[in-house]
């Protein structure tokens, strides 16, 4: 039974603290780089000789202990805690709703405060528990620009990119709710791995195209993989792209995480329909970028995601062409049974068809696991995420901005 709970050279520039504002108007320390946090300490009046030490302390409290309140940081003097609290925040976004699937999958609808004169926005984040591991699916944008025809998120127009803080906060909220920080209890009835961390892996496979928000995604993932904080191995972080070819090499060079490609078709004419970005970066360009992805090897394979659509891309001829296209690329293929959503024009391939496709790909040397659908009953499965947030019309945005300037603004 489904449960719903209401609940030109950057190095030449001076480093400034992050300017992400929250509802109370204070910038957040979450998502700041260490250099930005040092600058924040300077603005708070911390003596120069103490700044790096204070940053290390705060970093520990935020990302090891999971603190969301300066009052909890007892290794820092009360005076400094009060000064920081007056200037900054380390709070979490609002959890609008938490849903728990029959299979233990959890989905959170998170609300982030407005930026500038915009409205608050909402995104969905999903936790998938499995034996010995727990995977968190994180969103990078509110809505999406790519309009992939089989994807529910693609029906929501892009509202805006998420900030590094908002990307990271999804991970922090999940670890809060799962009791995954030290001295926190696991919620009663939670279905999670029996031992060790509850969130062992993260995948940038939620709402949006991560490589269209490269800088914020990079910043967030480098913090998530920092060994003195959240300390997630980069081999346990996977970034999924629909094929933003110019940013693929940068992903490997500057972030160093595992790569997944939303492929879904083996012919340009079909992929142009299913994944319209293919018109800009067709298959040959995409696969060439994969062959030269920094660090790719048999030990660090690229994952190709392939949604199984009945009568569309699931024939044996498609399987043969898939094997031919991927020749020479260390890869595995995730076969994803299509997850239906209201108004979709597609159906999931028959199970026998999926198994025949998988058997052929496996027999030709590529692992091709069939992904077990998870969280379908709460629209938490692959391709089902969406929120109700909409981009404000320019006239509405200017009107709200005028009200805020005059002191009569509302959320």
């Amino acid at each position: 039974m489904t449960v719903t709970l209401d609940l030109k050279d950057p190095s030449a520039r001076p480093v400034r603290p992050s300017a992400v504002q929250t509802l109370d108007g204070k910038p957040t320390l979450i998502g700041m780089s260490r250099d930005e946090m040092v600058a924040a300490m300077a603005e708070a009046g911390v003596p120069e000789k103490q700044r790096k030490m204070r940053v290390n302390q705060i970093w520990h409290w935020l990302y090891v202990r999971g603190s969301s309140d300066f009052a909890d940081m007892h290794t820092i003097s009360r005076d400094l805690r009060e000064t920081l609290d007056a200037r900054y925040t380390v709070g979490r976004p609002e959890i609008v709703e938490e849903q728990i699937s029959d299979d233990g999958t959890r989905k959170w609808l998170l609300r982030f405060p407005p930026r500038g004169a915009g409205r608050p926005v909402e995104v969905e984040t999903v936790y998938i528990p499995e034996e010995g591991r727990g995977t968190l699916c994180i969103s990078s944008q509110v809505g999406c620009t790519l309009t992939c025809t089989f994807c529910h998120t693609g029906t929501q127009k892009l509202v805006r990119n998420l900030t590094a803080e908002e990307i990271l906060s999804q991970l922090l909220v999940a670890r809060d709710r799962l009791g995954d920080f030290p001295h926190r209890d696991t919620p009663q009835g939670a279905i999670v791995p029996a031992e060790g961390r509850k969130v062992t892996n993260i995948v940038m496979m939620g709402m949006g195209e991560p490589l269209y928000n490269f800088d914020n995604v990079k910043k967030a993932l480098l913090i998530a993989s920092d060994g003195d904080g959240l300390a997630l191995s980069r081999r346990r972080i996977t970034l999924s792209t629909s094929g933003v070819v110019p940013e693929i090499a940068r992903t490997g060079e500057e972030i160093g995480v595992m790569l997944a490609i939303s492929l879904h078709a083996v012919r340009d004419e079909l992929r142009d329909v299913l994944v319209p970005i293919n018109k800009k970066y067709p298959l040959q360009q995409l696969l060439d970028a994969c062959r030269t992805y920094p660090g790719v090897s048999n030990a660090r394979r690229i994952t190709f995601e392939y949604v199984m659509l009945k009568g569309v891309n699931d024939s044996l001829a498609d399987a043969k062409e898939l094997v031919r296209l991927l020749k020479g690329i260390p890869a595995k293929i995730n076969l994803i049974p299509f997850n239906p959503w209201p108004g979709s024009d597609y159906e999931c391939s028959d199970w026998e068809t999926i198994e025949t496709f998988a058997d052929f790909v496996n027999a030709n040397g590529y692992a091709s696991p069939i992904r077990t659908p998870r969280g379908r009953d709460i629209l938490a499965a692959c391709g089902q995420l969406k929120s109700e947030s909409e981009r404000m019309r320019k006239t509405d945005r200017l009107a709200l901005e005028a009200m805020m300037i005059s002191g009569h603004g509302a959320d």
Side-chain angles (χ1 to χ4, degrees):
M1 173 175 158
T2 301
V3 177
T4 300
L5 307 177
D6 288 325
L7 311 168
K8 254 168 183 203
D9 180 8
S11 64
R13 304 173 191 159
V15 176
R16 302 291 296 171
S18 171
V20 177
Q21 302 291 312
T22 59
L23 275 174
D24 55 12
K26 295 188 291 188
T28 178
L29 296 184
I30 295 169
M32 284 189 183
S33 67
R34 280 190 169 85
D35 286 343
E36 288 171 332
M37 210 177 284
V38 167
M41 295 302 104
E43 291 196 355
V46 175
E48 184 175 1
K49 290 183 179 180
Q50 294 182 19
R51 292 171 193 166
K52 287 188 178 181
M53 177 191 69
R54 296 304 184 196
V55 167
N56 289 338
Q57 289 176 319
I58 294 170
W59 198 272
H60 177 87
W61 282 106
L62 291 179
Y63 302 128
V64 176
R65 303 295 293 274
S67 176
S68 59
D69 192 328
F70 288 110
D72 296 336
M73 302 182 184
H74 54 74
T75 57
I76 299 173
S77 71
R78 179 181 296 180
D79 287 348
L80 180 54
R81 279 184 276 156
E82 292 176 351
T83 298
L84 292 173
D85 189 47
R87 289 175 169 267
Y88 300 103
T89 182
V90 289
R92 303 285 193 259
E94 176 188 356
I95 302 175
V96 179
E97 185 177 71
E98 179 177 24
Q99 292 180 284
I100 308 172
S101 169
D102 293 339
D103 59 24
T105 298
R106 288 178 176 245
K107 182 172 75 171
W108 296 280
L109 180 63
L110 304 180
R111 179 178 294 147
F112 295 101
R115 295 177 58 200
R119 294 189 182 105
V121 295
E122 296 173 349
V123 297
E124 292 188 322
T125 306
V126 173
Y127 173 72
I128 306 166
E130 300 172 272
E131 185 176 352
R133 63 188 280 168
T135 301
L136 188 69
C137 184
I138 294 177
S139 296
S140 58
Q141 296 179 311
V142 186
C144 191
T145 60
L146 295 185
T147 64
C148 298
T149 55
F150 58 88
C151 179
H152 198 202
T153 310
T155 66
Q156 179 182 0
K157 292 181 180 179
L158 179 70
V159 178
R160 67 170 174 85
N161 287 334
L162 294 177
T163 65
E165 176 266 331
E166 291 164 337
I167 295 167
L168 270 178
S169 287
Q170 296 172 67
L171 175 54
L172 299 180
V173 165
R175 293 193 65 186
D176 285 342
R177 296 297 296 162
L178 297 169
D180 204 20
F181 284 113
H183 311 299
R184 306 285 178 89
D185 293 331
T186 302
Q188 188 174 2
I191 302 174
V192 295
E195 297 179 354
R197 282 188 172 191
K198 310 302 187 300
V199 180
T200 61
N201 297 64
I202 60 176
V203 291
M204 298 300 304
M205 294 183 186
M207 296 169 59
E209 166 54 62
L211 296 189
Y212 277 154
N213 188 18
F214 184 91
D215 291 338
N216 286 315
V217 168
K218 172 186 172 180
K219 190 175 183 182
L221 295 185
L222 291 181
I223 293 174
S225 59
D226 185 281
D228 292 325
L230 292 161
L232 279 162
S233 167
R234 296 186 192 184
R235 296 192 66 173
R236 290 183 174 268
I237 301 174
T238 301
L239 184 150
S240 175
T241 178
S242 293
V244 186
V245 170
E247 305 295 342
I248 288 177
R250 285 187 67 199
T251 300
E253 293 164 355
E254 299 179 26
I255 311 178
V257 296
M258 307 297 283
L259 181 68
I261 302 294
S262 289
L263 191 64
H264 311 307
V266 295
R267 303 183 309 277
D268 281 321
E269 57 269 27
L270 177 58
R271 196 165 189 267
D272 286 351
V273 175
L274 298 179
V275 190
I277 195 177
N278 193 74
K279 298 174 185 177
K280 188 172 185 178
Y281 306 114
L283 281 167
Q284 190 62 55
Q285 290 185 32
L286 175 59
L287 296 175
D288 286 347
C290 291
R291 287 186 174 89
T292 57
Y293 185 68
V296 66
S297 66
N298 286 328
R300 294 175 63 88
R301 295 175 294 173
I302 295 173
T303 298
F304 289 87
E305 298 158 325
Y306 196 96
V307 65
M308 300 297 293
L309 302 171
K310 187 174 183 178
V312 176
N313 65 350
D314 59 354
S315 70
L316 189 57
D318 290 312
K320 291 178 180 178
E321 181 63 7
L322 178 60
V323 169
R324 188 193 71 81
L325 283 177
L326 299 187
K327 185 176 181 180
I329 303 176
K332 73 172 183 178
I333 298 94
N334 271 351
L335 300 180
I336 307 169
F338 174 67
N339 296 303
W341 44 270
S344 170
D345 294 328
Y346 298 103
E347 296 179 48
C348 182
S349 303
D350 297 331
W351 195 256
E352 183 179 350
T353 300
I354 297 175
E355 289 186 324
T356 299
F357 196 105
D359 288 345
F360 180 85
V361 175
N362 271 307
N364 282 271
Y366 290 98
S368 56
I370 302 170
R371 185 184 295 176
T372 303
R374 301 292 299 271
R376 276 182 169 179
D377 54 328
I378 59 172
L379 289 180
C382 182
Q384 291 185 320
L385 304 190
K386 184 180 180 181
S387 76
E388 298 300 320
S389 297
E390 296 180 356
R391 186 174 182 86
M392 295 183 76
R393 291 181 301 173
K394 184 177 181 180
T395 53
D396 294 338
R397 188 169 68 251
L398 292 175
L400 180 57
E401 191 173 56
M403 285 193 297
M404 294 178 72
I405 291 171
S406 64
H408 300 288
D411 294 346

